[in-house]
Amino acid sequence: MATVNGVRSVEAGRLLAKIESKQAVLGVVGLGYVGLPLVAEFARAGYRVIGFDISAAVVESLNAGRSHIQDVPSEAVARAVNEGLFHSTTDMGRLGECDAISICVPTPLSKTRDPDVSYVVAATQSVTDAVRPGQLIVLESTTYPGTTRELMLPMLEAKGGHVGEDFFLCFSPERVDPGNERWHTRNTPKVIGGVTPTCLEVALALYNRVMDTMVPVSSTEAAEMTKLLENTFRSINIALVNEMAQASDRLGVDVWEVINAAATKPFGFMKFLPGPGIGGHCIPLDPHYLAWKMRTLNYKTRMIELAGEINKEMPYFVADKVQDALNAQRKALHGSRVLVLGVAYKKDIDDVRESPALDVIRLLEEKGGLVDYHDPFVARVREDGELRGRDSVPLTDETLRASDCVVIVTDHSSVDYRRVVELAPLVVDTRNATHGIFASNVIALTDSYQRLHTPTRA
Ligand code: SAJ
């Protein structure tokens, strides 16, 4: 049972009892692609959940039983609401009603590409303002090692309570992979670390009743670092294949063929795919949280910086490829009609955040291209930036025929690429979406300039 220095923490015992009897009220701060799936799992496990969000529109929509997150069906939201297990509010003062609070707020980068933990600070301040004895607080947002202990703990202790006795503080990284049909919040093993052993014990008592597999580690720093290793691993390996793509382009080698051949190695290799760059709210950003922290400790994480540079290069590589492909047809990019196919940051989702497609569009327009986009998941670009408000054009035969070049940036499964190749005069394929469709008007990501003049592809 929960003890502190051998003495049983009264508050821990009370909280454990509430968790066991399912009387515990759970709070989730931030009802986005991480928070809402967590709400759904807490409610499924039979706990009453209060959702907190700064957006009144999100709160209103959820209370009406509608989901704004692709991976959470509205039926699940409506069921939890109708069963009295889920209610959302913008009133952070109600955090005092919660016995356990999971914080799932964004951790973006600032304009100077430094960590922006302002959302974590604001959420922690709201929790602190309403803090009462016996609460468990778990940060789920990806952040630099030390955030939980160095930033959140002093704020929470400012009200006089002691961690591990009066309140309990943990870090448990989210591992949501939007659009993943197989791995979701409940069945993905969940890493967790506590500021004290009692913090961890209390959190495990709750999460073990909700998640299939919990993975306790020795500290909040270990849990924070685990997440950063996971995403830095992806960023660096994606950068590796992106560099191999640029090398293959100069060698006249098909990088997809090389990667598929390498992937036949049954051990010691993991397949990553080159593309137009990396997007999303995680992979482009999270590694720079670690780089920033290490700079404060006088250590330069060279691999992270280099991977970021290579991945950021890819939209330029794609824009040049489009220009070369048009040039091979004696067309200038300037004044040419270019259709960008797919703007979401990866296939079969509707999220455009940090999408490399936005860079590709910007670069093509800077060179005088007349650019439209079509994306079956993104009717309008709502993300901030110069493309905000742009609408998807219908993928009609006329649109395809009238384009001077179609560039496949995101390879959504629902698009008929054979039709695109048949109707468009020129296709630049950055995702190997047209593999198996042999046509002279298709230029692959690593079709070198020499090959662009080959009348028909081998
Ligand atoms: N990408 C490539 N080549 C690849 C894989 C991905 O170019 O081989 C690109 C994608 O197109 C996308 C970006 O990288 O633009 C990120 O893709 P991602 O597959 O890492 O997907 P995310 O960022 O939505 O989710 C990832 C999770 N995905 C996987 O593990 C497959 C996981 O790393 C984290 O749970 C999540 O980030 C997070 O929230 O941290």
Side-chain angles (χ1 to χ4, degrees):
M1 187 51 77
T3 59
V4 176
N5 306 324
V7 176
R8 189 168 179 272
S9 159
V10 173
E11 291 304 343
R14 284 187 184 137
L15 182 50
L16 284 168
K18 285 184 177 179
I19 290 169
E20 194 166 346
S21 66
K22 302 223 171 162
Q23 296 305 307
V25 175
L26 309 184
V28 176
V29 180
L31 301 173
Y33 80 96
V34 175
L36 192 58
L38 196 58
V39 166
E41 291 307 332
F42 282 155
R44 182 198 53 81
Y47 288 98
R48 191 159 73 82
V49 192
I50 304 176
F52 298 85
D53 203 286
I54 55 175
S55 163
V58 164
V59 164
E60 185 184 345
S61 168
L62 289 171
N63 286 336
R66 291 191 303 273
S67 170
H68 60 293
I69 297 298
Q70 188 178 322
D71 290 343
V72 180
S74 289
E75 295 73 23
V77 175
R79 183 167 57 250
V81 170
N82 297 335
E83 290 172 359
L85 289 177
F86 177 41
H87 178 76
S88 299
T89 180
T90 57
D91 175 9
M92 296 301 173
R94 294 191 56 189
L95 281 162
E97 299 174 33
C98 301
D99 299 296
I101 299 164
S102 298
I103 299 175
C104 307
V105 296
T107 45
L109 287 180
S110 67
K111 293 280 182 248
T112 53
R113 298 191 73 72
D114 293 328
D116 173 1
V117 290
S118 60
Y119 296 95
V120 172
V121 170
T124 305
Q125 190 56 57
S126 298
V127 172
T128 302
D129 294 344
V131 75
R132 57 160 172 78
Q135 288 182 312
L136 165 65
I137 299 104
V138 183
L139 177 62
E140 297 229 356
S141 308
T142 305
T143 185
Y144 61 81
T147 302
T148 308
R149 189 189 306 275
E150 297 164 12
L151 183 67
M152 296 179 69
L153 179 56
M155 293 176 69
L156 290 163
E157 286 195 320
K159 297 291 275 292
H162 297 289
V163 67
E165 294 175 43
D166 305 307
F167 69 90
F168 311 95
L169 180 58
C170 292
F171 180 81
S172 178
E174 56 89 3
R175 279 177 165 173
V176 176
D177 182 22
N180 193 317
E181 305 260 323
R182 178 176 176 214
W183 296 105
H184 46 76
T185 296
R186 183 169 76 238
N187 70 354
T188 301
K190 189 164 180 53
V191 171
I192 189 163
V195 171
T196 73
T198 302
C199 298
L200 179 59
E201 184 177 3
V202 168
L204 284 174
L206 170 60
Y207 280 92
N208 275 324
R209 284 177 170 77
V210 181
M211 307 299 174
D212 291 353
T213 311
M214 292 306 295
V215 182
V217 292
S218 62
S219 67
T220 54
E221 288 82 0
E224 290 158 339
M225 193 63 166
T226 299
K227 177 65 179 179
L228 291 176
L229 171 58
E230 289 169 10
N231 283 4
T232 302
F233 166 78
R234 292 185 64 73
S235 173
I236 285 175
N237 280 285
I238 293 165
L240 170 63
V241 289
N242 280 333
E243 179 162 73
M244 295 299 273
Q246 296 199 48
S248 300
D249 181 55
R250 287 159 176 75
L251 290 167
V253 168
D254 180 345
V255 71
W256 307 103
E257 178 186 22
V258 167
I259 289 170
N260 287 330
T264 60
K265 183 180 180 190
F267 52 85
F269 182 80
M270 185 170 176
K271 184 176 182 179
F272 285 84
L273 301 173
I278 60 174
H281 25 269
C282 314
I283 307 307
L285 311 184
D286 296 346
H288 296 285
Y289 266 70
L290 179 58
W292 173 86
K293 175 68 178 179
M294 296 321 294
R295 281 198 297 275
T296 69
L297 300 173
N298 295 321
Y299 179 77
K300 184 171 168 48
T301 51
R302 288 152 293 170
M303 294 279 282
I304 290 175
E305 309 283 354
L306 180 57
E309 287 170 27
I310 293 172
N311 288 327
K312 289 295 281 181
E313 251 170 29
M314 294 311 286
Y316 294 84
F317 181 71
V318 169
D320 289 348
K321 185 63 68 178
V322 170
Q323 186 163 23
D324 290 348
L326 285 165
N327 191 52
Q329 294 193 344
R330 294 171 176 74
K331 287 182 181 175
L333 172 54
H334 196 284
S336 288
R337 284 156 306 211
V338 181
L339 178 67
V340 168
L341 205 37
V343 292
Y345 76 81
K346 68 176 184 179
K347 71 186 326 186
D348 301 343
I349 66 166
D350 60 3
D351 196 336
V352 185
R353 278 177 292 182
E354 302 283 331
S355 174
L358 303 182
D359 294 321
V360 170
I361 292 173
R362 175 174 50 78
L363 291 166
L364 291 172
E365 290 186 332
E366 280 175 3
K367 296 186 173 192
L370 306 174
V371 185
D372 278 318
Y373 86 86
H374 170 78
D375 189 308
F377 287 82
V378 183
R380 171 168 293 181
V381 174
R382 301 191 186 286
E383 272 58 33
D384 292 336
E386 64 266 32
L387 294 174
R388 184 183 176 88
R390 292 276 285 266
D391 290 335
S392 173
V393 299
L395 195 62
T396 62
D397 290 6
E398 293 69 31
T399 300
L400 289 167
R401 288 197 186 96
S403 299
D404 295 298
C405 179
V406 173
V407 50
I408 301 170
V409 178
T410 305
D411 49 335
H412 291 305
S413 309
S414 61
V415 173
D416 177 352
Y417 294 103
R418 189 170 295 280
R419 169 174 170 254
V420 170
V421 171
E422 282 165 3
L423 294 172
L426 177 63
V427 178
V428 172
D429 180 4
T430 74
R431 296 283 194 171
N432 204 29
T434 61
H435 62 276
I437 304 172
F438 297 102
S440 61
N441 63 326
V442 175
I443 305 302
L445 186 66
T446 59
D447 262 325
S448 61
Y449 192 79
Q450 291 85 328
R451 283 174 58 91
L452 290 181
H453 294 284
T454 308
T456 50
R457 278 183 77 182

